[in-house]
């Protein structure tokens, strides 16, 4: 009995499988990039892949509040609130970290899906 | 010859079918991977109860469920637990001038559970410490060290045994005010659990200002914040279907004349607890109880009395002492993993 697949057929199948793997790998690893999500009044205002930030920049989710984004980190740089606890929170750079300006209702949270906790208790 | 052609044609058809099936399966698989993930996981954050709310849901209808959870927590704050919101149960209790006040079954249950821990901690933790909490003013513009006279004036009126709770009616003792700040976040976790049971959520982890609800059978990895650097964690617990609360001296404090004053008050002295602990994390089925126990155990310190208290409520705990020694209760030892080696396991 002759073989069902010839050498050329197998090469075509191998190419298809390799192409599929190339497509699948970014999907599998997508979860692992360090992502910052910025919320204002409970709504998402910005999602930033911190691994892809080439040059640092700042933005204001609300008047008077400024957030700095750099490669691998994000942090509050100024706020209108009294105690400035959000600015004192410092840089966020790890999965699970959050910083918030409670009076302005702004939250920054970091996620990566890497081997780090699902949530922190404090 | 004819039969040869037939065989070749059949083979070509089979090959084409296999090739198309393989390609289709791969493409469907790639699409399904993203689709299923987007359908089964949903995360969001918000601010309520003067703290950060973080929600991670696994199951269908994640976004709609998260919105209803956020809405529920805002309602708990507004209608039940806020001291400052006119018309909330706690506000009405504190402005009742000693008269009996009808409250919701939820608030009655929270107060009842909290009082049990007040009594079992011999009064070092007490929800009727409200007047003294007001004097200290932690987290407000008015935070300060009260005079000894001010504390001595309020102290005799503290004591949950003087509070009358009958069915869903609360009556404060003379010169009392309730402060449910120590159990409010855990209470929200309990109410949200009941809410999630009515949804299609398989599992969830919800943080109400660091008090956690772990819903469902999924094992979650929970990081315990490093008391010396609250941006990081010092170890993790692998647990499911429970509540987790932490009390620590790093969370809310101020300094006056070079001395640090944290917000966990010993209700029997009126001053911040001095128990040689940095933090206590408690794991317990009930959010109110885990919140109450973490505060009570922080005040009591690591000793036989606090271990007996935990045992009574079938709770487990991780104690972190001032000299960075970590002590886990027996039932949780195997679930805890130290990640910061500057701490020492005992």
């Amino acid at each position: 009995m002759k073989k069902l697949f010839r050498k050329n057929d197998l090469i075509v199948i191998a190419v298809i499988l390799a192409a599929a793997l190339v497509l699948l790998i970014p999907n599998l690893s997508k979860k692992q990039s360090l992502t910052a999500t910025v919320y204002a009044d409970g709504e998402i205002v910005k999602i930033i892949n911190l691994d892809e930030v080439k040059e640092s920049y700042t933005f204001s989710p609300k008047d008077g509040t400024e957030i700095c984004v750099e490669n691998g980190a994000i942090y509050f740089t100024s706020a209108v609130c009294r105690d400035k606890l959000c600015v004192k929170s410092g840089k966020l750079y790890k999965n699970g970290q959050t910083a918030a300006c409670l009076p302005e209702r702004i939250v920054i949270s970091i996620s990566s899906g890497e081997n780090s906790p699902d949530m922190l208790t404090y | 010859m004819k039969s040869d052609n037939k065989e070749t044609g059949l083979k070509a058809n089979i090959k084409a079918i296999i090739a198309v099936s393989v390609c289709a399966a791969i493409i469907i698989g790639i699409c399904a991977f993203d689709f299923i993930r987007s359908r089964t996981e949903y995360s969001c954050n918000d601010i309520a109860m003067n703290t950060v709310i973080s929600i991670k849901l696994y199951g269908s209808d994640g976004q709609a469920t998260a919105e209803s959870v956020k809405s529920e927590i805002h309602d708990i704050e507004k209608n039940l637990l806020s001291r400052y919101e006119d018309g909330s149960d706690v506000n009405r209790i504190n402005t009742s001038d000693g008269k009996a006040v009808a409250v919701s079954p939820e608030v009655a249950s929270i107060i009842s559970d909290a009082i049990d821990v007040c009594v079992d901690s011999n009064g070092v933790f007490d929800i009727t410490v409200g007047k003294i909490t007001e004097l200290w003013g932690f987290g407000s513009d008015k935070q300060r060290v009260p005079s000894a006279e001010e504390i001595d004036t309020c102290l005799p009126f503290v004591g949950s045994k003087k509070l009358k709770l009958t069915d869903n009616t609360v009556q404060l003792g003379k010169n009392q005010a309730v402060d449910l700040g120590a159990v409010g976040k855990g209470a929200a976790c309990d109410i949200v659990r009941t809410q999630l049971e009515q949804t299609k959520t398989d599992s969830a982890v919800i943080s109400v200002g660091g008090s956690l609800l772990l819903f469902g059978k999924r094992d979650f990895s929970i990081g315990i914040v490093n008391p010396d650097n609250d941006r990081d964690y010092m170890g993790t617990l692998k647990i499911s279907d429970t509540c987790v609360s932490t009390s620590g001296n790093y969370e809310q404090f101020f300094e006056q004349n070079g001395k640090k004053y944290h917000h966990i008050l010993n209700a029997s002295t009126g001053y911040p607890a001095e128990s040689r602990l940095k933090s206590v994390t408690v794991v317990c089925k009930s959010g109110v109880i885990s919140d109450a126990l973490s505060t009570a155990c922080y005040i009591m310190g690591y000793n036989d009395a606090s271990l007996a208290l935990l045992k009574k409520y079938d709770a487990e705990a991780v104690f972190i002492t001032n000299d960075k020694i970590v002590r886990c209760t027996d039932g949780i030892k195997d679930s805890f993993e130290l990640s910061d080696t500057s701490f020492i396991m005992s």
Side-chain angles (χ1 to χ4, degrees):
Chain A
M1 190 175 164
K2 286 182 184 173
K3 284 181 185 171
L4 185 61
F5 291 105
R6 289 188 205 136
K7 193 179 170 189
N8 285 349
D9 296 334
L10 291 173
I11 289 170
V12 170
I13 289 169
V15 168
I16 290 170
L17 286 174
L21 269 178
V22 168
L23 285 171
L24 196 59
I25 284 167
N27 269 294
L28 287 169
S29 60
K30 199 188 278 177
K31 210 180 165 188
Q32 295 173 1
S33 57
L34 195 66
T35 304
T37 308
V38 181
Y39 299 80
D41 299 318
E43 303 293 327
I44 294 174
V45 292
K46 220 175 178 71
I47 298 174
I48 306 151
N49 183 337
L50 296 176
D51 292 334
E52 289 178 359
V53 175
K54 301 253 180 339
E55 278 185 32
S56 60
Y57 62 92
T58 60
F59 72 97
S60 296
K62 271 188 177 180
D63 283 351
T65 305
E66 191 177 77
I67 291 170
C68 181
V69 182
E70 55 188 45
N71 186 269
I74 184 167
Y75 52 99
F76 284 96
T77 46
S78 69
V80 289
C81 55
R82 180 183 55 87
D83 49 22
K84 310 274 188 265
L85 283 177
C86 53
V87 178
K88 290 174 191 164
S89 296
K91 291 186 180 183
L92 309 182
Y93 53 89
K94 265 188 178 180
N95 182 45
Q97 290 181 326
T98 57
C101 180
L102 297 180
E104 290 296 300
R105 293 176 47 78
I106 297 168
V107 182
I108 308 172
S109 75
I110 302 279
S111 60
S112 76
E114 278 294 301
N115 292 327
S116 45
D118 294 297
M119 203 68 89
L120 299 184
T121 178
Y122 50 89
Chain B
M1 183 78 180
K2 229 178 186 181
S3 140
D4 268 5
N5 281 345
K6 239 184 181 176
E7 197 182 323
T8 312
L10 192 65
K11 264 189 188 174
N13 278 344
I14 292 170
K15 274 197 261 185
I17 288 165
I18 290 173
V20 168
S21 302
V22 167
C23 291
I26 289 166
I27 291 164
I28 289 167
I30 292 167
C31 296
F33 184 83
D34 260 0
F35 179 72
I36 291 166
R37 196 169 65 186
S38 68
R39 269 180 64 85
T40 55
E41 272 185 48
Y42 185 79
S43 305
C44 64
N45 286 268
D46 196 7
I47 286 176
M49 301 178 77
N50 203 29
T51 191
V52 178
I53 312 294
S54 300
I55 299 171
K56 272 188 191 177
L57 297 171
Y58 301 85
S60 49
D61 295 345
Q63 188 168 3
T65 305
E67 288 305 318
S68 67
V69 167
K70 285 198 278 183
S71 171
E72 182 73 43
I73 295 171
H74 282 288
D75 285 349
I76 293 167
E77 177 185 20
K78 190 177 172 218
N79 301 324
L80 305 184
L81 300 180
S82 171
R83 291 186 71 179
Y84 307 106
E85 188 78 41
D86 283 343
S88 79
D89 280 6
V90 169
N91 182 273
R92 287 189 302 109
I93 293 169
N94 283 342
T95 54
S96 65
D97 214 13
K99 294 188 187 78
V101 178
V103 296
S104 62
E106 289 88 350
V107 167
S109 164
I110 294 163
I111 290 176
S112 172
D113 288 349
I115 287 176
D116 288 343
V117 179
C118 297
V119 172
D120 291 332
S121 70
N122 289 320
V124 295
F125 164 73
D126 201 299
I127 57 168
T128 60
V129 75
K131 295 272 185 194
I132 297 178
T133 312
E134 274 171 28
L135 290 177
W136 284 90
F138 287 103
S140 75
D141 297 348
K142 297 168 187 163
Q143 58 187 16
R144 67 184 175 96
V145 181
S147 68
E149 290 76 21
E150 286 176 296
I151 289 178
D152 289 345
T153 304
C154 293
L155 210 51
F157 301 105
V158 176
S160 52
K161 285 180 183 168
K162 296 168 193 156
L163 181 153
K164 285 183 193 158
L165 175 68
T166 321
D167 297 327
N168 294 336
T169 303
V170 179
Q171 186 170 15
L172 289 181
K174 191 183 167 193
N175 286 337
Q176 281 194 327
V178 288
D179 179 1
L180 296 184
V183 295
K185 297 167 190 170
C189 290
D190 289 336
I191 295 171
V192 168
R193 177 196 281 131
T194 307
Q195 186 191 15
L196 288 179
E197 283 165 355
Q198 317 300 319
T199 68
K200 294 174 182 171
T201 307
D202 295 327
S203 50
V205 54
I206 292 171
S207 166
V208 182
S211 290
L212 309 183
L213 166 67
L214 312 186
F215 177 82
K217 297 295 171 207
R218 187 189 185 101
D219 265 343
F220 287 103
S221 169
I222 301 304
I224 296 176
V225 155
N226 182 341
D228 297 331
N229 169 18
D230 65 6
R231 298 290 88 207
D232 215 338
Y233 57 94
M234 49 69 68
T236 52
L237 286 165
K238 271 262 186 318
I239 42 177
S240 66
D241 196 21
T242 192
C243 286
V244 186
S245 306
T246 297
S247 294
N249 59 12
Y250 53 87
E251 184 58 16
Q252 238 183 62
F253 62 89
F254 65 85
E255 287 186 27
Q256 190 170 305
N257 298 328
K259 190 175 175 190
K260 186 176 158 181
Y261 297 90
H262 66 78
H263 74 298
I264 306 173
L265 298 179
N266 181 331
S268 66
T269 65
Y271 286 90
E274 287 179 13
S275 57
R276 299 193 45 77
L277 292 177
K278 285 178 187 283
S279 74
V280 181
T281 297
V282 170
V283 177
C284 176
K285 200 79 176 171
S286 152
V288 171
I289 299 290
S290 63
D291 263 11
L293 288 178
S294 69
T295 306
C297 288
Y298 180 87
I299 298 166
M300 294 163 80
Y302 180 80
N303 52 37
D304 289 345
S306 55
L307 294 177
L309 181 65
L310 290 164
K311 198 171 179 184
K312 177 168 184 180
Y313 288 92
D314 200 17
E316 303 293 339
V318 179
F319 293 78
I320 303 176
T321 68
N322 280 349
D323 39 11
K324 299 182 88 168
I325 293 170
V326 182
R327 293 191 163 102
C328 299
T329 52
D330 290 342
I332 211 167
K333 254 180 192 157
D334 294 342
S335 313
F336 179 76
E337 190 179 339
L338 189 69
S339 51
D340 183 333
T341 51
S342 70
F343 291 82
I344 304 152
M345 286 297 291
S346 165

mmCIF file with all atom_site columns, all heavy atoms in Angstrom, chain A residues 10-29:
data_model
loop_
_atom_site.group_PDB
_atom_site.id
_atom_site.type_symbol
_atom_site.label_atom_id
_atom_site.label_alt_id
_atom_site.label_comp_id
_atom_site.label_asym_id
_atom_site.label_entity_id
_atom_site.label_seq_id
_atom_site.pdbx_PDB_ins_code
_atom_site.Cartn_x
_atom_site.Cartn_y
_atom_site.Cartn_z
_atom_site.occupancy
_atom_site.B_iso_or_equiv
_atom_site.pdbx_formal_charge
_atom_site.auth_seq_id
_atom_site.auth_comp_id
_atom_site.auth_asym_id
_atom_site.auth_atom_id
_atom_site.pdbx_PDB_model_num
ATOM 1   N N   . LEU A 1 10 ? 4.110  16.442 3.625  1.00 0.00 ? 10 LEU A N   1
ATOM 2   C CA  . LEU A 1 10 ? 4.559  16.607 5.011  1.00 0.00 ? 10 LEU A CA  1
ATOM 3   C C   . LEU A 1 10 ? 5.207  17.975 5.215  1.00 0.00 ? 10 LEU A C   1
ATOM 4   O O   . LEU A 1 10 ? 5.032  18.613 6.258  1.00 0.00 ? 10 LEU A O   1
ATOM 5   C CB  . LEU A 1 10 ? 5.534  15.487 5.389  1.00 0.00 ? 10 LEU A CB  1
ATOM 6   C CG  . LEU A 1 10 ? 4.888  14.099 5.489  1.00 0.00 ? 10 LEU A CG  1
ATOM 7   C CD1 . LEU A 1 10 ? 5.953  13.024 5.693  1.00 0.00 ? 10 LEU A CD1 1
ATOM 8   C CD2 . LEU A 1 10 ? 3.886  14.035 6.623  1.00 0.00 ? 10 LEU A CD2 1
ATOM 9   N N   . ILE A 1 11 ? 5.965  18.432 4.203  1.00 0.00 ? 11 ILE A N   1
ATOM 10  C CA  . ILE A 1 11 ? 6.603  19.764 4.309  1.00 0.00 ? 11 ILE A CA  1
ATOM 11  C C   . ILE A 1 11 ? 5.522  20.841 4.434  1.00 0.00 ? 11 ILE A C   1
ATOM 12  O O   . ILE A 1 11 ? 5.610  21.739 5.278  1.00 0.00 ? 11 ILE A O   1
ATOM 13  C CB  . ILE A 1 11 ? 7.526  20.035 3.092  1.00 0.00 ? 11 ILE A CB  1
ATOM 14  C CG1 . ILE A 1 11 ? 8.770  19.137 3.184  1.00 0.00 ? 11 ILE A CG1 1
ATOM 15  C CG2 . ILE A 1 11 ? 7.943  21.510 3.024  1.00 0.00 ? 11 ILE A CG2 1
ATOM 16  C CD1 . ILE A 1 11 ? 9.636  19.119 1.929  1.00 0.00 ? 11 ILE A CD1 1
ATOM 17  N N   . VAL A 1 12 ? 4.451  20.723 3.612  1.00 0.00 ? 12 VAL A N   1
ATOM 18  C CA  . VAL A 1 12 ? 3.358  21.715 3.644  1.00 0.00 ? 12 VAL A CA  1
ATOM 19  C C   . VAL A 1 12 ? 2.695  21.718 5.027  1.00 0.00 ? 12 VAL A C   1
ATOM 20  O O   . VAL A 1 12 ? 2.474  22.776 5.632  1.00 0.00 ? 12 VAL A O   1
ATOM 21  C CB  . VAL A 1 12 ? 2.308  21.416 2.539  1.00 0.00 ? 12 VAL A CB  1
ATOM 22  C CG1 . VAL A 1 12 ? 1.064  22.288 2.733  1.00 0.00 ? 12 VAL A CG1 1
ATOM 23  C CG2 . VAL A 1 12 ? 2.914  21.635 1.165  1.00 0.00 ? 12 VAL A CG2 1
ATOM 24  N N   . ILE A 1 13 ? 2.428  20.501 5.565  1.00 0.00 ? 13 ILE A N   1
ATOM 25  C CA  . ILE A 1 13 ? 1.798  20.406 6.890  1.00 0.00 ? 13 ILE A CA  1
ATOM 26  C C   . ILE A 1 13 ? 2.707  21.010 7.959  1.00 0.00 ? 13 ILE A C   1
ATOM 27  O O   . ILE A 1 13 ? 2.273  21.762 8.831  1.00 0.00 ? 13 ILE A O   1
ATOM 28  C CB  . ILE A 1 13 ? 1.457  18.929 7.224  1.00 0.00 ? 13 ILE A CB  1
ATOM 29  C CG1 . ILE A 1 13 ? 0.288  18.473 6.352  1.00 0.00 ? 13 ILE A CG1 1
ATOM 30  C CG2 . ILE A 1 13 ? 1.094  18.756 8.698  1.00 0.00 ? 13 ILE A CG2 1
ATOM 31  C CD1 . ILE A 1 13 ? 0.025  16.985 6.374  1.00 0.00 ? 13 ILE A CD1 1
ATOM 32  N N   . ALA A 1 14 ? 4.007  20.733 7.857  1.00 0.00 ? 14 ALA A N   1
ATOM 33  C CA  . ALA A 1 14 ? 4.965  21.274 8.821  1.00 0.00 ? 14 ALA A CA  1
ATOM 34  C C   . ALA A 1 14 ? 4.972  22.794 8.766  1.00 0.00 ? 14 ALA A C   1
ATOM 35  O O   . ALA A 1 14 ? 5.013  23.467 9.812  1.00 0.00 ? 14 ALA A O   1
ATOM 36  C CB  . ALA A 1 14 ? 6.362  20.723 8.536  1.00 0.00 ? 14 ALA A CB  1
ATOM 37  N N   . VAL A 1 15 ? 4.902  23.341 7.538  1.00 0.00 ? 15 VAL A N   1
ATOM 38  C CA  . VAL A 1 15 ? 4.899  24.807 7.385  1.00 0.00 ? 15 VAL A CA  1
ATOM 39  C C   . VAL A 1 15 ? 3.635  25.388 8.052  1.00 0.00 ? 15 VAL A C   1
ATOM 40  O O   . VAL A 1 15 ? 3.697  26.395 8.771  1.00 0.00 ? 15 VAL A O   1
ATOM 41  C CB  . VAL A 1 15 ? 4.981  25.216 5.886  1.00 0.00 ? 15 VAL A CB  1
ATOM 42  C CG1 . VAL A 1 15 ? 4.684  26.699 5.704  1.00 0.00 ? 15 VAL A CG1 1
ATOM 43  C CG2 . VAL A 1 15 ? 6.369  24.887 5.342  1.00 0.00 ? 15 VAL A CG2 1
ATOM 44  N N   . ILE A 1 16 ? 2.468  24.708 7.804  1.00 0.00 ? 16 ILE A N   1
ATOM 45  C CA  . ILE A 1 16 ? 1.204  25.190 8.395  1.00 0.00 ? 16 ILE A CA  1
ATOM 46  C C   . ILE A 1 16 ? 1.296  25.173 9.921  1.00 0.00 ? 16 ILE A C   1
ATOM 47  O O   . ILE A 1 16 ? 0.952  26.136 10.594 1.00 0.00 ? 16 ILE A O   1
ATOM 48  C CB  . ILE A 1 16 ? 0.002  24.323 7.929  1.00 0.00 ? 16 ILE A CB  1
ATOM 49  C CG1 . ILE A 1 16 ? -0.267 24.578 6.451  1.00 0.00 ? 16 ILE A CG1 1
ATOM 50  C CG2 . ILE A 1 16 ? -1.250 24.629 8.752  1.00 0.00 ? 16 ILE A CG2 1
ATOM 51  C CD1 . ILE A 1 16 ? -1.264 23.614 5.828  1.00 0.00 ? 16 ILE A CD1 1
ATOM 52  N N   . LEU A 1 17 ? 1.818  24.062 10.465 1.00 0.00 ? 17 LEU A N   1
ATOM 53  C CA  . LEU A 1 17 ? 1.934  23.954 11.924 1.00 0.00 ? 17 LEU A CA  1
ATOM 54  C C   . LEU A 1 17 ? 2.889  25.010 12.489 1.00 0.00 ? 17 LEU A C   1
ATOM 55  O O   . LEU A 1 17 ? 2.621  25.622 13.523 1.00 0.00 ? 17 LEU A O   1
ATOM 56  C CB  . LEU A 1 17 ? 2.415  22.550 12.309 1.00 0.00 ? 17 LEU A CB  1
ATOM 57  C CG  . LEU A 1 17 ? 1.368  21.442 12.163 1.00 0.00 ? 17 LEU A CG  1
ATOM 58  C CD1 . LEU A 1 17 ? 1.988  20.084 12.439 1.00 0.00 ? 17 LEU A CD1 1
ATOM 59  C CD2 . LEU A 1 17 ? 0.187  21.672 13.104 1.00 0.00 ? 17 LEU A CD2 1
ATOM 60  N N   . ALA A 1 18 ? 4.009  25.248 11.761 1.00 0.00 ? 18 ALA A N   1
ATOM 61  C CA  . ALA A 1 18 ? 4.972  26.250 12.216 1.00 0.00 ? 18 ALA A CA  1
ATOM 62  C C   . ALA A 1 18 ? 4.324  27.637 12.218 1.00 0.00 ? 18 ALA A C   1
ATOM 63  O O   . ALA A 1 18 ? 4.488  28.415 13.164 1.00 0.00 ? 18 ALA A O   1
ATOM 64  C CB  . ALA A 1 18 ? 6.205  26.236 11.310 1.00 0.00 ? 18 ALA A CB  1
ATOM 65  N N   . ALA A 1 19 ? 3.548  27.917 11.147 1.00 0.00 ? 19 ALA A N   1
ATOM 66  C CA  . ALA A 1 19 ? 2.870  29.221 11.061 1.00 0.00 ? 19 ALA A CA  1
ATOM 67  C C   . ALA A 1 19 ? 1.871  29.378 12.214 1.00 0.00 ? 19 ALA A C   1
ATOM 68  O O   . ALA A 1 19 ? 1.764  30.442 12.816 1.00 0.00 ? 19 ALA A O   1
ATOM 69  C CB  . ALA A 1 19 ? 2.154  29.343 9.715  1.00 0.00 ? 19 ALA A CB  1
ATOM 70  N N   . ALA A 1 20 ? 1.163  28.271 12.508 1.00 0.00 ? 20 ALA A N   1
ATOM 71  C CA  . ALA A 1 20 ? 0.183  28.313 13.601 1.00 0.00 ? 20 ALA A CA  1
ATOM 72  C C   . ALA A 1 20 ? 0.870  28.590 14.927 1.00 0.00 ? 20 ALA A C   1
ATOM 73  O O   . ALA A 1 20 ? 0.394  29.376 15.740 1.00 0.00 ? 20 ALA A O   1
ATOM 74  C CB  . ALA A 1 20 ? -0.571 26.994 13.670 1.00 0.00 ? 20 ALA A CB  1
ATOM 75  N N   . LEU A 1 21 ? 2.040  27.939 15.122 1.00 0.00 ? 21 LEU A N   1
ATOM 76  C CA  . LEU A 1 21 ? 2.793  28.160 16.357 1.00 0.00 ? 21 LEU A CA  1
ATOM 77  C C   . LEU A 1 21 ? 3.221  29.615 16.487 1.00 0.00 ? 21 LEU A C   1
ATOM 78  O O   . LEU A 1 21 ? 3.131  30.224 17.551 1.00 0.00 ? 21 LEU A O   1
ATOM 79  C CB  . LEU A 1 21 ? 4.031  27.259 16.376 1.00 0.00 ? 21 LEU A CB  1
ATOM 80  C CG  . LEU A 1 21 ? 3.840  25.887 17.024 1.00 0.00 ? 21 LEU A CG  1
ATOM 81  C CD1 . LEU A 1 21 ? 5.120  25.083 16.923 1.00 0.00 ? 21 LEU A CD1 1
ATOM 82  C CD2 . LEU A 1 21 ? 3.435  26.036 18.492 1.00 0.00 ? 21 LEU A CD2 1
ATOM 83  N N   . VAL A 1 22 ? 3.679  30.181 15.359 1.00 0.00 ? 22 VAL A N   1
ATOM 84  C CA  . VAL A 1 22 ? 4.108  31.580 15.356 1.00 0.00 ? 22 VAL A CA  1
ATOM 85  C C   . VAL A 1 22 ? 2.936  32.480 15.769 1.00 0.00 ? 22 VAL A C   1
ATOM 86  O O   . VAL A 1 22 ? 3.106  33.447 16.514 1.00 0.00 ? 22 VAL A O   1
ATOM 87  C CB  . VAL A 1 22 ? 4.657  31.978 13.966 1.00 0.00 ? 22 VAL A CB  1
ATOM 88  C CG1 . VAL A 1 22 ? 4.840  33.489 13.845 1.00 0.00 ? 22 VAL A CG1 1
ATOM 89  C CG2 . VAL A 1 22 ? 5.977  31.255 13.705 1.00 0.00 ? 22 VAL A CG2 1
ATOM 90  N N   . LEU A 1 23 ? 1.727  32.134 15.287 1.00 0.00 ? 23 LEU A N   1
ATOM 91  C CA  . LEU A 1 23 ? 0.536  32.923 15.644 1.00 0.00 ? 23 LEU A CA  1
ATOM 92  C C   . LEU A 1 23 ? 0.135  32.711 17.099 1.00 0.00 ? 23 LEU A C   1
ATOM 93  O O   . LEU A 1 23 ? -0.327 33.628 17.767 1.00 0.00 ? 23 LEU A O   1
ATOM 94  C CB  . LEU A 1 23 ? -0.649 32.526 14.743 1.00 0.00 ? 23 LEU A CB  1
ATOM 95  C CG  . LEU A 1 23 ? -0.618 33.041 13.320 1.00 0.00 ? 23 LEU A CG  1
ATOM 96  C CD1 . LEU A 1 23 ? -1.731 32.372 12.503 1.00 0.00 ? 23 LEU A CD1 1
ATOM 97  C CD2 . LEU A 1 23 ? -0.789 34.561 13.287 1.00 0.00 ? 23 LEU A CD2 1
ATOM 98  N N   . LEU A 1 24 ? 0.338  31.486 17.571 1.00 0.00 ? 24 LEU A N   1
ATOM 99  C CA  . LEU A 1 24 ? -0.140 31.122 18.905 1.00 0.00 ? 24 LEU A CA  1
ATOM 100 C C   . LEU A 1 24 ? 0.770  31.637 20.011 1.00 0.00 ? 24 LEU A C   1
ATOM 101 O O   . LEU A 1 24 ? 0.299  32.059 21.065 1.00 0.00 ? 24 LEU A O   1
ATOM 102 C CB  . LEU A 1 24 ? -0.248 29.595 18.984 1.00 0.00 ? 24 LEU A CB  1
ATOM 103 C CG  . LEU A 1 24 ? -1.070 29.020 20.128 1.00 0.00 ? 24 LEU A CG  1
ATOM 104 C CD1 . LEU A 1 24 ? -2.499 29.530 20.069 1.00 0.00 ? 24 LEU A CD1 1
ATOM 105 C CD2 . LEU A 1 24 ? -1.087 27.498 20.064 1.00 0.00 ? 24 LEU A CD2 1
ATOM 106 N N   . ILE A 1 25 ? 2.068  31.643 19.757 1.00 0.00 ? 25 ILE A N   1
ATOM 107 C CA  . ILE A 1 25 ? 3.015  32.022 20.813 1.00 0.00 ? 25 ILE A CA  1
ATOM 108 C C   . ILE A 1 25 ? 2.750  33.438 21.359 1.00 0.00 ? 25 ILE A C   1
ATOM 109 O O   . ILE A 1 25 ? 2.682  33.626 22.575 1.00 0.00 ? 25 ILE A O   1
ATOM 110 C CB  . ILE A 1 25 ? 4.483  31.845 20.336 1.00 0.00 ? 25 ILE A CB  1
ATOM 111 C CG1 . ILE A 1 25 ? 4.809  30.344 20.361 1.00 0.00 ? 25 ILE A CG1 1
ATOM 112 C CG2 . ILE A 1 25 ? 5.466  32.602 21.227 1.00 0.00 ? 25 ILE A CG2 1
ATOM 113 C CD1 . ILE A 1 25 ? 6.080  29.972 19.645 1.00 0.00 ? 25 ILE A CD1 1
ATOM 114 N N   . PRO A 1 26 ? 2.538  34.448 20.471 1.00 0.00 ? 26 PRO A N   1
ATOM 115 C CA  . PRO A 1 26 ? 2.243  35.770 21.039 1.00 0.00 ? 26 PRO A CA  1
ATOM 116 C C   . PRO A 1 26 ? 0.981  35.754 21.879 1.00 0.00 ? 26 PRO A C   1
ATOM 117 O O   . PRO A 1 26 ? 0.883  36.456 22.879 1.00 0.00 ? 26 PRO A O   1
ATOM 118 C CB  . PRO A 1 26 ? 2.051  36.648 19.808 1.00 0.00 ? 26 PRO A CB  1
ATOM 119 C CG  . PRO A 1 26 ? 2.680  35.924 18.683 1.00 0.00 ? 26 PRO A CG  1
ATOM 120 C CD  . PRO A 1 26 ? 2.551  34.478 19.010 1.00 0.00 ? 26 PRO A CD  1
ATOM 121 N N   . ASN A 1 27 ? -0.010 34.921 21.482 1.00 0.00 ? 27 ASN A N   1
ATOM 122 C CA  . ASN A 1 27 ? -1.244 34.818 22.260 1.00 0.00 ? 27 ASN A CA  1
ATOM 123 C C   . ASN A 1 27 ? -0.977 34.260 23.645 1.00 0.00 ? 27 ASN A C   1
ATOM 124 O O   . ASN A 1 27 ? -1.521 34.732 24.632 1.00 0.00 ? 27 ASN A O   1
ATOM 125 C CB  . ASN A 1 27 ? -2.254 33.904 21.567 1.00 0.00 ? 27 ASN A CB  1
ATOM 126 C CG  . ASN A 1 27 ? -3.161 34.678 20.636 1.00 0.00 ? 27 ASN A CG  1
ATOM 127 O OD1 . ASN A 1 27 ? -3.946 35.487 21.083 1.00 0.00 ? 27 ASN A OD1 1
ATOM 128 N ND2 . ASN A 1 27 ? -3.019 34.443 19.348 1.00 0.00 ? 27 ASN A ND2 1
ATOM 129 N N   . LEU A 1 28 ? -0.131 33.227 23.689 1.00 0.00 ? 28 LEU A N   1
ATOM 130 C CA  . LEU A 1 28 ? 0.172  32.593 24.970 1.00 0.00 ? 28 LEU A CA  1
ATOM 131 C C   . LEU A 1 28 ? 0.963  33.524 25.875 1.00 0.00 ? 28 LEU A C   1
ATOM 132 O O   . LEU A 1 28 ? 0.781  33.542 27.071 1.00 0.00 ? 28 LEU A O   1
ATOM 133 C CB  . LEU A 1 28 ? 0.964  31.296 24.734 1.00 0.00 ? 28 LEU A CB  1
ATOM 134 C CG  . LEU A 1 28 ? 0.159  30.129 24.162 1.00 0.00 ? 28 LEU A CG  1
ATOM 135 C CD1 . LEU A 1 28 ? 1.094  29.026 23.724 1.00 0.00 ? 28 LEU A CD1 1
ATOM 136 C CD2 . LEU A 1 28 ? -0.844 29.606 25.177 1.00 0.00 ? 28 LEU A CD2 1
ATOM 137 N N   . SER A 1 29 ? 1.852  34.299 25.253 1.00 0.00 ? 29 SER A N   1
ATOM 138 C CA  . SER A 1 29 ? 2.722  35.145 26.066 1.00 0.00 ? 29 SER A CA  1
ATOM 139 C C   . SER A 1 29 ? 2.138  36.536 26.296 1.00 0.00 ? 29 SER A C   1
ATOM 140 O O   . SER A 1 29 ? 2.661  37.289 27.090 1.00 0.00 ? 29 SER A O   1
ATOM 141 C CB  . SER A 1 29 ? 4.093  35.280 25.394 1.00 0.00 ? 29 SER A CB  1
ATOM 142 O OG  . SER A 1 29 ? 3.910  35.866 24.136 1.00 0.00 ? 29 SER A OG  1
#
